Amino acid sequence: MGAQIRLDINHMMNDYLGGHGIDKAEIESMIPALKKAHASVEAGRGKGMQGWMDLPCNQTAIVAQILESASQIRDEFEYFVVLGIGGSALGPAAVQQALNHLHYNELPKELRNAPKLYIEDNIDPERMSALMDVIDIKKTCFNVITKSGGTAETMSQYLIVLDALKQAVGSDYKKHIVVTTSETKGFLINIAKEEEYQTFFIPDGVGGRFSELCPVGLLAAAVCGIDIQALLDGAHDMDVRCKSDDVTKNPALMDAALMYIAMNKGMNISVMMPYADSLRLISDWYAQLWAESLGKNVTLDGKPCNVGQTPVKALGVTDQHSQLQLYSEGPYDKVITFLKVEDFRAKTAIPHGCDDVPSIAFLGGKSHNQLIEAERAGTEYALYKSQRMNQTITLPTVNADTIGQLLYFFELCTAYTGALLNIDTFNQPGVEESKLAAYAVMGYDSEIHTAKREEMKSRPERKAEYLF
Ligand code: PA5
């Protein structure tokens, strides 16, 4: 087992925040509800949409296949392009940013020792042509990732790439496409079979935002030289740490309790603020996980509700110079989660200089490692002083093991919080509604899309007085 990540919740508590924090008694009063939430998450382990809980331990054969495929891709291609959106893109991007060089694609080939990686989620019309400008399609492997196999963004990208590949390499196009999709649902699996594409499966019980630790994320990571077994081992370690239904012994359950109490006190915003560029995209991944899982309008008993907490992405130190003023003095509606790195993978010493300006000369002989942590500690203090709920997750260092721990910690915390809110954590009807409406707008003629088009016509006309 590697070094463990740690959660510090001191500055969530009223011991530090006067009336703006949480009382220990409030957590204690939740113990029966917390035990129930823990039991319900455990009861669902591996069932329904909780297949993600098995991923750290049930993929030995898949990991071997992924490693073999990744090694071939590394030998044969210079570019690896992920086509996917939402859960099919945010995890691969977050893990790549965390675990590879911050300028990975710009590194010389011999230092990278693996293909350049591009993750193409959006369908901005300029984006695909921009991609084509920087890759050599004859040397590119495309990983088409979509669980439903029908997401318009990804499948339209697939059609564009297929056409371009056929023009560039003729019948060899099949060797340039790897598909990651559901084995049992959607159209892409049938296309993949007909075309004999190499295929990896997204287990039925693993939803998009919980899919980073299955082939969705593992293939791109392995292609780029990331130790995927260590990622899974880290996740497994976190799973073991969170086995207990005693909130004082289960960090993810404790955090779920705090976030739940905080939400009930009007903390409608969850700010994720890593103090490390490598963790910047963890905030994007977390934003989808937290927002899509917890933003719901009906309880499991069918009662109307409007719950959830809006995730906000921030980066330390950068956003101290942008958002911190609001966090310190604006409304009491936020919980700020710092991600702190103890031991960075590089040390940047600050040389001596500007001797006649004492306040700048003072920095000489110190390091960016010291400065970034001092800035984080300073921000933590400022938030404490203005009585704002904040907590810190410390990564001893950023490696595959600690990232596996971190991802699984947030997944478990999300599942526990959803259970406390008594909602379906694993569906996304609001997302499905927009997918359906978009196809209806595009003019697709299936029964449900035609019905949706009709329904959309019942929206009142836009009023001229509101148009400027
Ligand atoms: O979490 C989810 O399920 C969604 O955000 C999906 O990841 C996203 O909509 C993409 O879906 P698909 O993988 O089916 O293309």
PDB file of all heavy atoms in Angstrom, residues 49 84-90 145-155 180-181 202 206-211 216 288-289 292-293 426-428 431-432 435, ligand 1:
ATOM      1  N   MET A  49     -26.574   0.132 -10.867  1.00  0.00           N
ATOM      2  CA  MET A  49     -25.589   1.082 -11.409  1.00  0.00           C
ATOM      3  C   MET A  49     -24.393   1.258 -10.474  1.00  0.00           C
ATOM      4  O   MET A  49     -23.697   2.276 -10.530  1.00  0.00           O
ATOM      5  CB  MET A  49     -26.265   2.435 -11.664  1.00  0.00           C
ATOM      6  CG  MET A  49     -27.220   2.419 -12.848  1.00  0.00           C
ATOM      7  SD  MET A  49     -26.487   1.702 -14.350  1.00  0.00           S
ATOM      8  CE  MET A  49     -25.262   2.932 -14.756  1.00  0.00           C
ATOM      9  N   GLY A  84     -15.099  11.439 -27.227  1.00  0.00           N
ATOM     10  CA  GLY A  84     -16.072  11.118 -26.182  1.00  0.00           C
ATOM     11  C   GLY A  84     -16.427  12.399 -25.464  1.00  0.00           C
ATOM     12  O   GLY A  84     -15.735  13.421 -25.604  1.00  0.00           O
ATOM     13  N   ILE A  85     -17.502  12.369 -24.696  1.00  0.00           N
ATOM     14  CA  ILE A  85     -17.926  13.585 -23.988  1.00  0.00           C
ATOM     15  C   ILE A  85     -18.459  13.194 -22.618  1.00  0.00           C
ATOM     16  O   ILE A  85     -18.831  12.032 -22.395  1.00  0.00           O
ATOM     17  CB  ILE A  85     -18.969  14.362 -24.837  1.00  0.00           C
ATOM     18  CG1 ILE A  85     -19.122  15.815 -24.355  1.00  0.00           C
ATOM     19  CG2 ILE A  85     -20.314  13.652 -24.875  1.00  0.00           C
ATOM     20  CD1 ILE A  85     -19.757  16.742 -25.379  1.00  0.00           C
ATOM     21  N   GLY A  86     -18.517  14.148 -21.696  1.00  0.00           N
ATOM     22  CA  GLY A  86     -18.998  13.853 -20.337  1.00  0.00           C
ATOM     23  C   GLY A  86     -18.057  12.853 -19.671  1.00  0.00           C
ATOM     24  O   GLY A  86     -16.830  13.012 -19.695  1.00  0.00           O
ATOM     25  N   GLY A  87     -18.653  11.835 -19.109  1.00  0.00           N
ATOM     26  CA  GLY A  87     -17.853  10.840 -18.404  1.00  0.00           C
ATOM     27  C   GLY A  87     -16.854  10.126 -19.290  1.00  0.00           C
ATOM     28  O   GLY A  87     -15.891   9.538 -18.801  1.00  0.00           O
ATOM     29  N   SER A  88     -17.053  10.187 -20.582  1.00  0.00           N
ATOM     30  CA  SER A  88     -16.126   9.512 -21.495  1.00  0.00           C
ATOM     31  C   SER A  88     -14.908  10.358 -21.821  1.00  0.00           C
ATOM     32  O   SER A  88     -14.016   9.905 -22.534  1.00  0.00           O
ATOM     33  CB  SER A  88     -16.859   9.140 -22.794  1.00  0.00           C
ATOM     34  OG  SER A  88     -17.940   8.282 -22.504  1.00  0.00           O
ATOM     35  N   ALA A  89     -14.869  11.575 -21.319  1.00  0.00           N
ATOM     36  CA  ALA A  89     -13.741  12.463 -21.618  1.00  0.00           C
ATOM     37  C   ALA A  89     -13.096  13.050 -20.362  1.00  0.00           C
ATOM     38  O   ALA A  89     -11.886  13.226 -20.300  1.00  0.00           O
ATOM     39  CB  ALA A  89     -14.211  13.614 -22.505  1.00  0.00           C
ATOM     40  N   LEU A  90     -13.926  13.364 -19.352  1.00  0.00           N
ATOM     41  CA  LEU A  90     -13.410  14.126 -18.205  1.00  0.00           C
ATOM     42  C   LEU A  90     -12.429  13.305 -17.372  1.00  0.00           C
ATOM     43  O   LEU A  90     -11.434  13.839 -16.875  1.00  0.00           O
ATOM     44  CB  LEU A  90     -14.582  14.607 -17.343  1.00  0.00           C
ATOM     45  CG  LEU A  90     -15.459  15.661 -18.036  1.00  0.00           C
ATOM     46  CD1 LEU A  90     -16.798  15.812 -17.332  1.00  0.00           C
ATOM     47  CD2 LEU A  90     -14.734  17.001 -18.080  1.00  0.00           C
ATOM     48  N   ILE A 145     -15.349   6.573 -27.598  1.00  0.00           N
ATOM     49  CA  ILE A 145     -15.877   6.132 -26.300  1.00  0.00           C
ATOM     50  C   ILE A 145     -17.284   6.682 -26.113  1.00  0.00           C
ATOM     51  O   ILE A 145     -17.490   7.892 -26.004  1.00  0.00           O
ATOM     52  CB  ILE A 145     -14.989   6.639 -25.132  1.00  0.00           C
ATOM     53  CG1 ILE A 145     -13.516   6.307 -25.365  1.00  0.00           C
ATOM     54  CG2 ILE A 145     -15.475   6.028 -23.822  1.00  0.00           C
ATOM     55  CD1 ILE A 145     -12.587   6.782 -24.253  1.00  0.00           C
ATOM     56  N   THR A 146     -18.260   5.802 -26.077  1.00  0.00           N
ATOM     57  CA  THR A 146     -19.610   6.203 -25.709  1.00  0.00           C
ATOM     58  C   THR A 146     -20.361   4.989 -25.200  1.00  0.00           C
ATOM     59  O   THR A 146     -20.476   3.991 -25.901  1.00  0.00           O
ATOM     60  CB  THR A 146     -20.382   6.891 -26.868  1.00  0.00           C
ATOM     61  OG1 THR A 146     -21.785   6.868 -26.577  1.00  0.00           O
ATOM     62  CG2 THR A 146     -20.150   6.272 -28.215  1.00  0.00           C
ATOM     63  N   LYS A 147     -20.826   5.100 -23.966  1.00  0.00           N
ATOM     64  CA  LYS A 147     -21.521   3.951 -23.376  1.00  0.00           C
ATOM     65  C   LYS A 147     -22.835   3.687 -24.113  1.00  0.00           C
ATOM     66  O   LYS A 147     -23.140   2.557 -24.472  1.00  0.00           O
ATOM     67  CB  LYS A 147     -21.794   4.195 -21.898  1.00  0.00           C
ATOM     68  CG  LYS A 147     -22.454   2.970 -21.291  1.00  0.00           C
ATOM     69  CD  LYS A 147     -22.600   3.045 -19.814  1.00  0.00           C
ATOM     70  CE  LYS A 147     -23.325   1.780 -19.362  1.00  0.00           C
ATOM     71  NZ  LYS A 147     -23.816   1.842 -18.009  1.00  0.00           N
ATOM     72  N   SER A 148     -23.595   4.743 -24.352  1.00  0.00           N
ATOM     73  CA  SER A 148     -24.896   4.567 -25.011  1.00  0.00           C
ATOM     74  C   SER A 148     -24.717   4.219 -26.484  1.00  0.00           C
ATOM     75  O   SER A 148     -25.605   3.676 -27.114  1.00  0.00           O
ATOM     76  CB  SER A 148     -25.714   5.848 -24.889  1.00  0.00           C
ATOM     77  OG  SER A 148     -25.047   6.894 -25.571  1.00  0.00           O
ATOM     78  N   GLY A 149     -23.580   4.555 -27.015  1.00  0.00           N
ATOM     79  CA  GLY A 149     -23.335   4.285 -28.433  1.00  0.00           C
ATOM     80  C   GLY A 149     -24.160   5.166 -29.341  1.00  0.00           C
ATOM     81  O   GLY A 149     -24.205   4.943 -30.553  1.00  0.00           O
ATOM     82  N   GLY A 150     -24.800   6.189 -28.780  1.00  0.00           N
ATOM     83  CA  GLY A 150     -25.661   7.011 -29.619  1.00  0.00           C
ATOM     84  C   GLY A 150     -25.509   8.492 -29.358  1.00  0.00           C
ATOM     85  O   GLY A 150     -26.293   9.287 -29.883  1.00  0.00           O
ATOM     86  N   THR A 151     -24.547   8.884 -28.556  1.00  0.00           N
ATOM     87  CA  THR A 151     -24.395  10.314 -28.245  1.00  0.00           C
ATOM     88  C   THR A 151     -24.003  11.075 -29.515  1.00  0.00           C
ATOM     89  O   THR A 151     -23.006  10.738 -30.170  1.00  0.00           O
ATOM     90  CB  THR A 151     -23.335  10.485 -27.134  1.00  0.00           C
ATOM     91  OG1 THR A 151     -23.811   9.788 -25.981  1.00  0.00           O
ATOM     92  CG2 THR A 151     -23.111  11.934 -26.785  1.00  0.00           C
ATOM     93  N   ALA A 152     -24.821  12.083 -29.847  1.00  0.00           N
ATOM     94  CA  ALA A 152     -24.665  12.763 -31.144  1.00  0.00           C
ATOM     95  C   ALA A 152     -23.265  13.355 -31.306  1.00  0.00           C
ATOM     96  O   ALA A 152     -22.673  13.283 -32.390  1.00  0.00           O
ATOM     97  CB  ALA A 152     -25.719  13.859 -31.267  1.00  0.00           C
ATOM     98  N   GLU A 153     -22.737  13.940 -30.225  1.00  0.00           N
ATOM     99  CA  GLU A 153     -21.428  14.595 -30.327  1.00  0.00           C
ATOM    100  C   GLU A 153     -20.367  13.564 -30.755  1.00  0.00           C
ATOM    101  O   GLU A 153     -19.614  13.768 -31.708  1.00  0.00           O
ATOM    102  CB  GLU A 153     -21.023  15.204 -28.971  1.00  0.00           C
ATOM    103  CG  GLU A 153     -21.909  16.340 -28.489  1.00  0.00           C
ATOM    104  CD  GLU A 153     -23.121  15.857 -27.701  1.00  0.00           C
ATOM    105  OE1 GLU A 153     -23.479  14.658 -27.798  1.00  0.00           O
ATOM    106  OE2 GLU A 153     -23.732  16.678 -26.988  1.00  0.00           O
ATOM    107  N   THR A 154     -20.345  12.457 -30.033  1.00  0.00           N
ATOM    108  CA  THR A 154     -19.298  11.464 -30.273  1.00  0.00           C
ATOM    109  C   THR A 154     -19.518  10.742 -31.599  1.00  0.00           C
ATOM    110  O   THR A 154     -18.564  10.518 -32.357  1.00  0.00           O
ATOM    111  CB  THR A 154     -19.300  10.450 -29.103  1.00  0.00           C
ATOM    112  OG1 THR A 154     -19.203  11.183 -27.886  1.00  0.00           O
ATOM    113  CG2 THR A 154     -18.160   9.469 -29.219  1.00  0.00           C
ATOM    114  N   MET A 155     -20.763  10.407 -31.894  1.00  0.00           N
ATOM    115  CA  MET A 155     -21.003   9.648 -33.116  1.00  0.00           C
ATOM    116  C   MET A 155     -20.815  10.525 -34.354  1.00  0.00           C
ATOM    117  O   MET A 155     -20.405  10.025 -35.409  1.00  0.00           O
ATOM    118  CB  MET A 155     -22.396   9.009 -33.085  1.00  0.00           C
ATOM    119  CG  MET A 155     -22.517   7.912 -32.023  1.00  0.00           C
ATOM    120  SD  MET A 155     -21.167   6.691 -32.047  1.00  0.00           S
ATOM    121  CE  MET A 155     -21.466   5.847 -33.597  1.00  0.00           C
ATOM    122  N   THR A 180     -14.848   1.845 -27.395  1.00  0.00           N
ATOM    123  CA  THR A 180     -15.148   1.526 -25.993  1.00  0.00           C
ATOM    124  C   THR A 180     -16.620   1.844 -25.781  1.00  0.00           C
ATOM    125  O   THR A 180     -17.028   3.009 -25.868  1.00  0.00           O
ATOM    126  CB  THR A 180     -14.259   2.365 -25.041  1.00  0.00           C
ATOM    127  OG1 THR A 180     -12.888   2.187 -25.417  1.00  0.00           O
ATOM    128  CG2 THR A 180     -14.433   1.929 -23.597  1.00  0.00           C
ATOM    129  N   THR A 181     -17.418   0.811 -25.548  1.00  0.00           N
ATOM    130  CA  THR A 181     -18.863   1.010 -25.471  1.00  0.00           C
ATOM    131  C   THR A 181     -19.506  -0.114 -24.674  1.00  0.00           C
ATOM    132  O   THR A 181     -18.823  -1.015 -24.177  1.00  0.00           O
ATOM    133  CB  THR A 181     -19.463   1.094 -26.900  1.00  0.00           C
ATOM    134  OG1 THR A 181     -20.813   1.555 -26.816  1.00  0.00           O
ATOM    135  CG2 THR A 181     -19.438  -0.234 -27.624  1.00  0.00           C
ATOM    136  N   ILE A 202     -17.736  -1.157 -21.618  1.00  0.00           N
ATOM    137  CA  ILE A 202     -18.084  -0.421 -20.400  1.00  0.00           C
ATOM    138  C   ILE A 202     -19.149  -1.258 -19.703  1.00  0.00           C
ATOM    139  O   ILE A 202     -20.223  -1.480 -20.266  1.00  0.00           O
ATOM    140  CB  ILE A 202     -18.653   0.980 -20.741  1.00  0.00           C
ATOM    141  CG1 ILE A 202     -17.679   1.746 -21.657  1.00  0.00           C
ATOM    142  CG2 ILE A 202     -18.941   1.759 -19.455  1.00  0.00           C
ATOM    143  CD1 ILE A 202     -18.215   3.083 -22.184  1.00  0.00           C
ATOM    144  N   VAL A 206     -21.845   0.545 -14.835  1.00  0.00           N
ATOM    145  CA  VAL A 206     -20.898   1.663 -14.638  1.00  0.00           C
ATOM    146  C   VAL A 206     -21.360   2.839 -15.498  1.00  0.00           C
ATOM    147  O   VAL A 206     -21.274   2.800 -16.722  1.00  0.00           O
ATOM    148  CB  VAL A 206     -19.464   1.231 -15.021  1.00  0.00           C
ATOM    149  CG1 VAL A 206     -18.503   2.406 -14.895  1.00  0.00           C
ATOM    150  CG2 VAL A 206     -19.001   0.067 -14.159  1.00  0.00           C
ATOM    151  N   GLY A 207     -21.866   3.883 -14.851  1.00  0.00           N
ATOM    152  CA  GLY A 207     -22.331   5.071 -15.576  1.00  0.00           C
ATOM    153  C   GLY A 207     -21.155   5.931 -15.997  1.00  0.00           C
ATOM    154  O   GLY A 207     -20.048   5.804 -15.453  1.00  0.00           O
ATOM    155  N   GLY A 208     -21.408   6.831 -16.937  1.00  0.00           N
ATOM    156  CA  GLY A 208     -20.326   7.641 -17.511  1.00  0.00           C
ATOM    157  C   GLY A 208     -19.431   8.294 -16.476  1.00  0.00           C
ATOM    158  O   GLY A 208     -18.211   8.175 -16.516  1.00  0.00           O
ATOM    159  N   ARG A 209     -20.047   8.972 -15.499  1.00  0.00           N
ATOM    160  CA  ARG A 209     -19.225   9.749 -14.559  1.00  0.00           C
ATOM    161  C   ARG A 209     -18.528   8.879 -13.526  1.00  0.00           C
ATOM    162  O   ARG A 209     -17.688   9.366 -12.766  1.00  0.00           O
ATOM    163  CB  ARG A 209     -20.078  10.823 -13.894  1.00  0.00           C
ATOM    164  CG  ARG A 209     -21.312  10.292 -13.196  1.00  0.00           C
ATOM    165  CD  ARG A 209     -22.271  11.431 -12.867  1.00  0.00           C
ATOM    166  NE  ARG A 209     -23.525  10.957 -12.276  1.00  0.00           N
ATOM    167  CZ  ARG A 209     -24.588  10.565 -12.963  1.00  0.00           C
ATOM    168  NH1 ARG A 209     -24.543  10.534 -14.286  1.00  0.00           N
ATOM    169  NH2 ARG A 209     -25.676  10.175 -12.351  1.00  0.00           N
ATOM    170  N   PHE A 210     -18.867   7.594 -13.488  1.00  0.00           N
ATOM    171  CA  PHE A 210     -18.184   6.655 -12.578  1.00  0.00           C
ATOM    172  C   PHE A 210     -17.269   5.702 -13.366  1.00  0.00           C
ATOM    173  O   PHE A 210     -16.897   4.657 -12.861  1.00  0.00           O
ATOM    174  CB  PHE A 210     -19.216   5.834 -11.797  1.00  0.00           C
ATOM    175  CG  PHE A 210     -19.955   6.617 -10.738  1.00  0.00           C
ATOM    176  CD1 PHE A 210     -21.064   7.387 -11.049  1.00  0.00           C
ATOM    177  CD2 PHE A 210     -19.515   6.611  -9.412  1.00  0.00           C
ATOM    178  CE1 PHE A 210     -21.743   8.118 -10.076  1.00  0.00           C
ATOM    179  CE2 PHE A 210     -20.178   7.346  -8.439  1.00  0.00           C
ATOM    180  CZ  PHE A 210     -21.296   8.100  -8.765  1.00  0.00           C
ATOM    181  N   SER A 211     -16.929   6.088 -14.610  1.00  0.00           N
ATOM    182  CA  SER A 211     -16.301   5.098 -15.504  1.00  0.00           C
ATOM    183  C   SER A 211     -14.796   5.247 -15.687  1.00  0.00           C
ATOM    184  O   SER A 211     -14.195   4.515 -16.463  1.00  0.00           O
ATOM    185  CB  SER A 211     -16.979   5.145 -16.876  1.00  0.00           C
ATOM    186  OG  SER A 211     -16.685   6.365 -17.536  1.00  0.00           O
ATOM    187  N   VAL A 216     -12.783   2.921 -20.188  1.00  0.00           N
ATOM    188  CA  VAL A 216     -12.974   4.320 -20.609  1.00  0.00           C
ATOM    189  C   VAL A 216     -11.707   5.131 -20.323  1.00  0.00           C
ATOM    190  O   VAL A 216     -11.206   5.857 -21.189  1.00  0.00           O
ATOM    191  CB  VAL A 216     -14.177   4.956 -19.869  1.00  0.00           C
ATOM    192  CG1 VAL A 216     -14.190   6.469 -20.019  1.00  0.00           C
ATOM    193  CG2 VAL A 216     -15.483   4.360 -20.376  1.00  0.00           C
ATOM    194  N   GLN A 288     -18.569  17.180 -12.775  1.00  0.00           N
ATOM    195  CA  GLN A 288     -19.598  16.343 -13.408  1.00  0.00           C
ATOM    196  C   GLN A 288     -20.147  15.318 -12.419  1.00  0.00           C
ATOM    197  O   GLN A 288     -21.361  15.112 -12.308  1.00  0.00           O
ATOM    198  CB  GLN A 288     -19.029  15.603 -14.624  1.00  0.00           C
ATOM    199  CG  GLN A 288     -20.136  14.850 -15.363  1.00  0.00           C
ATOM    200  CD  GLN A 288     -19.672  13.613 -16.115  1.00  0.00           C
ATOM    201  OE1 GLN A 288     -18.585  13.106 -15.896  1.00  0.00           O
ATOM    202  NE2 GLN A 288     -20.512  13.122 -17.003  1.00  0.00           N
ATOM    203  N   LEU A 289     -19.230  14.697 -11.685  1.00  0.00           N
ATOM    204  CA  LEU A 289     -19.635  13.654 -10.735  1.00  0.00           C
ATOM    205  C   LEU A 289     -20.636  14.210  -9.726  1.00  0.00           C
ATOM    206  O   LEU A 289     -21.704  13.626  -9.478  1.00  0.00           O
ATOM    207  CB  LEU A 289     -18.381  13.126 -10.015  1.00  0.00           C
ATOM    208  CG  LEU A 289     -18.598  12.037  -8.981  1.00  0.00           C
ATOM    209  CD1 LEU A 289     -18.920  10.712  -9.672  1.00  0.00           C
ATOM    210  CD2 LEU A 289     -17.364  11.869  -8.091  1.00  0.00           C
ATOM    211  N   GLU A 292     -24.007  16.022 -11.678  1.00  0.00           N
ATOM    212  CA  GLU A 292     -24.945  15.124 -12.367  1.00  0.00           C
ATOM    213  C   GLU A 292     -25.520  14.083 -11.415  1.00  0.00           C
ATOM    214  O   GLU A 292     -26.634  13.605 -11.599  1.00  0.00           O
ATOM    215  CB  GLU A 292     -24.220  14.426 -13.527  1.00  0.00           C
ATOM    216  CG  GLU A 292     -24.918  14.607 -14.849  1.00  0.00           C
ATOM    217  CD  GLU A 292     -24.100  14.087 -16.021  1.00  0.00           C
ATOM    218  OE1 GLU A 292     -23.825  12.881 -16.108  1.00  0.00           O
ATOM    219  OE2 GLU A 292     -23.735  14.920 -16.856  1.00  0.00           O
ATOM    220  N   SER A 293     -24.748  13.736 -10.394  1.00  0.00           N
ATOM    221  CA  SER A 293     -25.227  12.699  -9.467  1.00  0.00           C
ATOM    222  C   SER A 293     -26.221  13.257  -8.464  1.00  0.00           C
ATOM    223  O   SER A 293     -27.200  12.591  -8.120  1.00  0.00           O
ATOM    224  CB  SER A 293     -24.042  12.083  -8.703  1.00  0.00           C
ATOM    225  OG  SER A 293     -23.128  11.498  -9.602  1.00  0.00           O
ATOM    226  N   PHE A 426     -27.494   7.806  -9.604  1.00  0.00           N
ATOM    227  CA  PHE A 426     -26.838   7.248 -10.791  1.00  0.00           C
ATOM    228  C   PHE A 426     -27.591   7.498 -12.096  1.00  0.00           C
ATOM    229  O   PHE A 426     -27.178   7.033 -13.139  1.00  0.00           O
ATOM    230  CB  PHE A 426     -26.606   5.740 -10.567  1.00  0.00           C
ATOM    231  CG  PHE A 426     -25.836   5.482  -9.302  1.00  0.00           C
ATOM    232  CD1 PHE A 426     -26.458   4.972  -8.169  1.00  0.00           C
ATOM    233  CD2 PHE A 426     -24.493   5.817  -9.225  1.00  0.00           C
ATOM    234  CE1 PHE A 426     -25.755   4.780  -6.990  1.00  0.00           C
ATOM    235  CE2 PHE A 426     -23.782   5.642  -8.048  1.00  0.00           C
ATOM    236  CZ  PHE A 426     -24.409   5.118  -6.917  1.00  0.00           C
ATOM    237  N   ASN A 427     -28.713   8.223 -12.034  1.00  0.00           N
ATOM    238  CA  ASN A 427     -29.386   8.542 -13.308  1.00  0.00           C
ATOM    239  C   ASN A 427     -29.076   9.988 -13.702  1.00  0.00           C
ATOM    240  O   ASN A 427     -28.422  10.728 -12.964  1.00  0.00           O
ATOM    241  CB  ASN A 427     -30.902   8.295 -13.195  1.00  0.00           C
ATOM    242  CG  ASN A 427     -31.579   9.283 -12.248  1.00  0.00           C
ATOM    243  OD1 ASN A 427     -30.947  10.147 -11.660  1.00  0.00           O
ATOM    244  ND2 ASN A 427     -32.878   9.154 -12.094  1.00  0.00           N
ATOM    245  N   GLN A 428     -29.513  10.374 -14.881  1.00  0.00           N
ATOM    246  CA  GLN A 428     -29.291  11.754 -15.351  1.00  0.00           C
ATOM    247  C   GLN A 428     -30.396  12.148 -16.322  1.00  0.00           C
ATOM    248  O   GLN A 428     -30.137  12.465 -17.486  1.00  0.00           O
ATOM    249  CB  GLN A 428     -27.904  11.934 -15.997  1.00  0.00           C
ATOM    250  CG  GLN A 428     -27.534  10.964 -17.118  1.00  0.00           C
ATOM    251  CD  GLN A 428     -27.132   9.612 -16.626  1.00  0.00           C
ATOM    252  OE1 GLN A 428     -26.514   9.472 -15.580  1.00  0.00           O
ATOM    253  NE2 GLN A 428     -27.497   8.583 -17.374  1.00  0.00           N
ATOM    254  N   VAL A 431     -29.982  15.281 -18.395  1.00  0.00           N
ATOM    255  CA  VAL A 431     -29.057  15.198 -19.531  1.00  0.00           C
ATOM    256  C   VAL A 431     -29.756  14.507 -20.698  1.00  0.00           C
ATOM    257  O   VAL A 431     -29.659  14.947 -21.852  1.00  0.00           O
ATOM    258  CB  VAL A 431     -27.776  14.411 -19.139  1.00  0.00           C
ATOM    259  CG1 VAL A 431     -26.807  14.337 -20.314  1.00  0.00           C
ATOM    260  CG2 VAL A 431     -27.103  15.058 -17.933  1.00  0.00           C
ATOM    261  N   GLU A 432     -30.490  13.426 -20.377  1.00  0.00           N
ATOM    262  CA  GLU A 432     -31.182  12.677 -21.438  1.00  0.00           C
ATOM    263  C   GLU A 432     -32.182  13.585 -22.142  1.00  0.00           C
ATOM    264  O   GLU A 432     -32.353  13.519 -23.357  1.00  0.00           O
ATOM    265  CB  GLU A 432     -31.925  11.450 -20.865  1.00  0.00           C
ATOM    266  CG  GLU A 432     -31.098  10.510 -19.971  1.00  0.00           C
ATOM    267  CD  GLU A 432     -29.827   9.967 -20.625  1.00  0.00           C
ATOM    268  OE1 GLU A 432     -29.715  10.033 -21.851  1.00  0.00           O
ATOM    269  OE2 GLU A 432     -28.928   9.512 -19.888  1.00  0.00           O
ATOM    270  N   LYS A 435     -30.469  15.648 -24.683  1.00  0.00           N
ATOM    271  CA  LYS A 435     -30.014  14.845 -25.831  1.00  0.00           C
ATOM    272  C   LYS A 435     -31.191  14.601 -26.783  1.00  0.00           C
ATOM    273  O   LYS A 435     -31.066  14.730 -28.003  1.00  0.00           O
ATOM    274  CB  LYS A 435     -29.476  13.483 -25.368  1.00  0.00           C
ATOM    275  CG  LYS A 435     -28.102  13.510 -24.691  1.00  0.00           C
ATOM    276  CD  LYS A 435     -27.634  12.084 -24.394  1.00  0.00           C
ATOM    277  CE  LYS A 435     -26.276  12.040 -23.738  1.00  0.00           C
ATOM    278  NZ  LYS A 435     -25.779  10.690 -23.445  1.00  0.00           N
TER     279      LYS A 435
HETATM  280  O1  PA5 B   1     -22.436  10.432 -16.639  1.00  0.00           O
HETATM  281  C1  PA5 B   1     -23.075  10.224 -17.662  1.00  0.00           C
HETATM  282  O2  PA5 B   1     -23.709   9.179 -17.828  1.00  0.00           O
HETATM  283  C2  PA5 B   1     -23.080  11.206 -18.833  1.00  0.00           C
HETATM  284  O3  PA5 B   1     -22.535  12.428 -18.538  1.00  0.00           O
HETATM  285  C3  PA5 B   1     -22.341  10.588 -19.996  1.00  0.00           C
HETATM  286  O4  PA5 B   1     -21.008  10.324 -19.643  1.00  0.00           O
HETATM  287  C4  PA5 B   1     -22.352  11.482 -21.231  1.00  0.00           C
HETATM  288  O5  PA5 B   1     -23.643  11.956 -21.492  1.00  0.00           O
HETATM  289  C5  PA5 B   1     -21.859  10.695 -22.446  1.00  0.00           C
HETATM  290  O6  PA5 B   1     -22.641   9.564 -22.654  1.00  0.00           O
HETATM  291  P1  PA5 B   1     -22.156   8.349 -23.538  1.00  0.00           P
HETATM  292  O7  PA5 B   1     -21.020   7.676 -22.856  1.00  0.00           O
HETATM  293  O8  PA5 B   1     -23.321   7.448 -23.625  1.00  0.00           O
HETATM  294  O9  PA5 B   1     -21.755   8.906 -24.859  1.00  0.00           O
END
